[in-house]
Amino acid sequence: MIFCHISFKNPHSHFANIKIKFANLTKGPQEFTLPAWRPGRYELDPFTDHIFRFGVSDEAGRPLAWRKTTPNTWIVDNPSTQALTLRYDYYAFKMDAGNSLVDKQQVYLNFINCIFYQVGRMDLPYTVSLDLPKDYLIACALGTRPTLQASSYHQLVDSPVFASTKLRDLTYTIDGHEFHLTFQGEHPLDETKLLADFYQFTRVQMQAMGGFPCQVYRFLVQSLDYTHYHGVEHEDSTVLVLGPNTPDTHDNYREMLLGVASHELFHAWNVTRIRPAEMSPYDFSKEVLFDTGFVAEGFTTYYGDLFLRQSGVFSHQAYYKEINTLLLRHFQNYGRFESSLLESSQNLWVDGYQKSTPSKKVSIYVKGALVSMILDIQIRQSTTSQHSLIDVIQQMYALHRYEQGGYTLSDVYALIGKIGGEHVLTLARELVETTTPIESILQQTLALVGCSLVSEPHSNEFTAKTGILLDRNRIIDIAPKSIAYQVVSIGDTLTHINGTLLEEDWEISDTTVLTLADGSTLTLPSSTETYYSYYSIVDDPAADTLQNSLKKEWLGDE
Ligand SMILES: [Zn+2]
C-alpha cells in the first residue's frame, strides 16, 4: 500500500502540498518517477516543471539525499530504511481536461500530473487522503469521500477528482448502470432536456456495444465563462472542459457538450479498454509510438457524432454539419498530399499537436473519422447491412483489450477483412497507408447511402485563384502546388492586390499583381487551378429505394 496525503494550505498560491509514503522497500537504490506524459495526449508534458520543494525523509523524519537521472526520475541511493516519504508541492494552475487547478473555489486534480510511482511496483494499491474544507463535495471515479482508494497506480491516475462547495450532480440509470453528470461552474441548459439527451446517446452506445464496461460512470464538467473545449477519457469517467457558459451561447454550448461527451463516452471502450498493443499497459516514463491513431481517435470521432444522430439527439442536418466540419478541415489541409494516416500517427509525438511545419500531416481525428465513415458504409454495403464498422470494434473489445495485450494494425486489418471482405480491406489499406486523394472514394461511398459530395470554390475569390490564404493582410498558408508558393512566404504581409489597397474593393483579373509590405511587387500569371475548395455532403434527391434504406440504417432513422 502506498499512502498519499494531499493538503492545500494556501489555495491562493495554487499549490497542492503532497506527501507520499512508500513502504516495504527492497534493498538498493530507490527510483521514483513522475509521468512524462498522460494518456489521451501523445506528447511529452512538463509535469515535473510544477514540482517545488522536493524532499525525501526516512521513517524517523530525517532528510535523505537524492539525485535526478532523467527530467522525471528521482533516485535515493541505498537508503537503510524500509520506508521513505516524498514531500513536495505541486503548482496546480492549468485549466484543461488533463491538468490540475487549485484555487480558492475548487480543487481539481489529475493525479497523473503530480503523483510518483516506482517502476515494478505500479500494481500496489494507493490510498489518497485529501485534506479539504469540510463543506467540499467530491466527485471522482474512486468515490465521493476525502479518502480515495485505488487498486493500482494505473487506476489512481485514471481517476481525476473534482472538489468544491458547488458541484452540481445530475444522474441517470440505464440497465443498472449509473451515470453522473457533475458540473463545476454554471451552465445555461435545461437539465431535464440535458439528461434526456445524455440518456439517449448513452443508451444507443450501450446497444451498439452490448452493455457498458463499468457500473458507475462520471462525466466531470468544468464549465467556464470563457472559451474552451477539451475532453479527456478515462475508464470510468471523463473530464470535459468547456465554455463560454453564458445564456446567450446556449445552442453552441449544448452542441459542444453533447459532442465531446458522446466522443469521450465511446472512449470508455475504445482507447481506455481497447488499446494499441504498444500501450498495453502504459509506460509513462517515455514516448510510446503507435501507428493506429486512426483507430484510437478516428473511430471515436466518427462514432461520437454518429451516435448523436442515431439516438435522435442530433437532427439529420446537425449531423451533416459535423461531417461538413470534418470535410472542411481535411480539404483545407494540403498536408493530405504529404502524409498518410499511418505516418501522421507515427509522428504524433513529434508534431501531433503543433503546426510547426506547414502542410506536413493529416489529422488522425479528421481523416481518421472520414475513413471510418467510408469503411462503415462500405462494410454495410458489402454485407447487405448485416454488419458495420461497429462489429469490428465489438470484436476488438472481445479480443484486444489492454489486459489481453491490446491490438496491432494487423489485428485491425484482419478484423476489417473478416467482417467487411477483401474489397473493404484493400480500401482500408489504401486510405490508411497512402496519400491517395479521397474525393472519388468519398463520392462513391456516399452515393451508396443516397448522398453526394459537392464542392464549391473558396468564398474568397483571391484565395481560390491564387492558393494564398489570408488573415486580414497576412499570409497564413499557401497551397504547395500553386505558383504563389514559389514567390511568397507564409508570414508575408500584402498591402495591395492589383494596385488597390487590400482594405479597399480590389478586383480579380487574369493575372494578379501582389504588393508586399516591403514595397516589392510580384505578378502571378493566370491559372485555371482552384485552391482551398469547400466540400460538403448533401442528400441526393434522385436516390433510389435501396440507397435510401441503406441511409436509414446508417443514420438510425426510424
Ligand atoms: Zn478522443
Side-chain angles (χ1 to χ4, degrees), residues 55-87:
V56 187
S57 56
D58 64 12
E59 281 161 301
R62 286 180 296 247
L64 297 175
W66 51 270
R67 62 192 171 89
K68 286 187 73 171
T69 50
T70 73
N72 50 318
T73 308
W74 280 249
I75 286 194
V76 179
D77 284 310
N78 306 315
S80 54
T81 170
Q82 278 217 317
L84 291 179
T85 299
L86 312 188
R87 273 192 182 75

Side-chain angles (χ1 to χ4, degrees), residues 40 42 231-233 260 263-264 267 270-271 296-298 300-301 365:
Y42 307 107
V232 173
E233 66 272 21
V260 69
H263 176 104
E264 301 304 337
H267 272 316
N270 192 26
V271 172
E297 290 302 345
T300 307
T301 299
Y365 291 81

Side-chain angles (χ1 to χ4, degrees), residues 536-548:
S536 51
I537 175 177
V538 293
D539 286 318
D540 176 3
D544 63 24
T545 321
L546 202 64
Q547 290 168 308
N548 281 329

Side-chain angles (χ1 to χ4, degrees), residues 328-392:
L328 181 78
R329 289 181 59 195
H330 181 69
F331 287 110
Q332 295 291 295
N333 170 20
Y334 280 86
R336 68 187 190 273
F337 296 109
E338 295 294 334
S339 296
S340 67
L341 265 177
L342 197 66
E343 289 164 324
S344 298
S345 185
Q346 288 164 344
N347 265 332
L348 264 185
W349 290 87
V350 178
D351 62 11
Y353 303 91
Q354 282 96 33
K355 197 184 171 191
S356 45
T357 308
S359 303
K360 182 188 170 195
K361 60 181 184 252
V362 288
S363 161
I364 57 165
Y365 291 81
V366 175
K367 187 177 178 186
L370 292 173
V371 166
S372 305
M373 178 175 75
I374 292 170
L375 296 178
D376 186 30
I377 294 172
Q378 291 285 350
I379 294 173
R380 288 169 185 275
Q381 164 76 11
S382 70
T383 63
T384 54
S385 294
Q386 293 304 300
H387 295 291
S388 71
L389 187 64
I390 204 72
D391 293 281
V392 172

